[in-house]
Amino acid sequence: MVKMENSELDNRQEPGAAQYGNFPNYYSFHPPETRTSLLPRGQLLELLRRHGGAEGALLGLDVGCNTGKLSVALYDHLMQPEDCPKALTSIHFMCCDIDPDLISRAQTVNPRPDAITFSALDITDASSLGALYGFLDRFGRSSFHIGFCMSITMWIHLNHGDHGLVEFLNRLKTLCDFLLIEPQPWKCYRSAARRLRKLGRQDFDHFHSLSIRGDMAKEITKIMTKDGSSELIYRFGKTSWDRSLLLFKSRGSTNRSV
């Protein structure tokens, strides 16, 4: 777990300035509906079922959940009305973020504590996987039906480099049957680095040495589909912030050897 000094906590109030993307006012300029509006009600469930996904109950993993507003919105979006023939009997979300302060806020305002669990953990640290597998064991599962990776890949990439990004995505493939990924475009990388410099803070360690760059939606797709480890099954379009929503189906999500 990464610990932050008080000055870092203050600085992350500046949009985009937090080193790990963990600024508490995120949803004031990236509201959940900018994503859920691209997911026609019932279509995501239909895609999961068509490709062998969940029936009846569903387990979801939200990585980098911040204060949890998008997590709750995705939960509500998936939980169809009772009279809907495609309704799920239950949904359970495990939502994690590197920042314990943001997780504390999410827990405080969690409207569905019986169905949505918020946990402070760093998924790039292999030692954190025990908590995820413990959650899965409660439901007799070895993988989540679907994982959400919404505007997180850039922060993993900037802080852990090319190898760290590839390792992160490969780990998610083993944890989730399906992955909905929203990659940040390259212009967001430049903006994040510029904002850090403007605040007089140290630049990202890997920013200038990254070889994976350019069209990040395309690059993420290449990493995800390499060697047939997963396939891109649907593109939900782009948000007003020019961020694609890409749905992948993983192969090998039952492997816990990572």
Side-chain angles (χ1 to χ4, degrees), residues 10 27 29 34 63 65 68 82-83 96 101 104 120 127-128 130 155 160 165 205 210 221 223 230 233 239 250 252:
D10 293 337
Y27 292 114
F29 55 93
T34 61
V63 181
C65 64
E82 291 183 2
D83 60 349
C96 57
D101 181 61
S104 178
S127 66
S128 70
W155 303 110
H160 299 276
L165 175 64
D205 290 340
L210 297 177
T221 299
I223 296 170
S230 67
I233 62 173
T239 69
S250 301

Side-chain angles (χ1 to χ4, degrees), residues 160-174:
H160 299 276
D162 291 334
H163 175 75
L165 175 64
V166 173
E167 187 177 65
F168 169 73
L169 293 174
N170 286 338
R171 179 164 291 167
L172 287 181
K173 293 178 196 178
T174 70

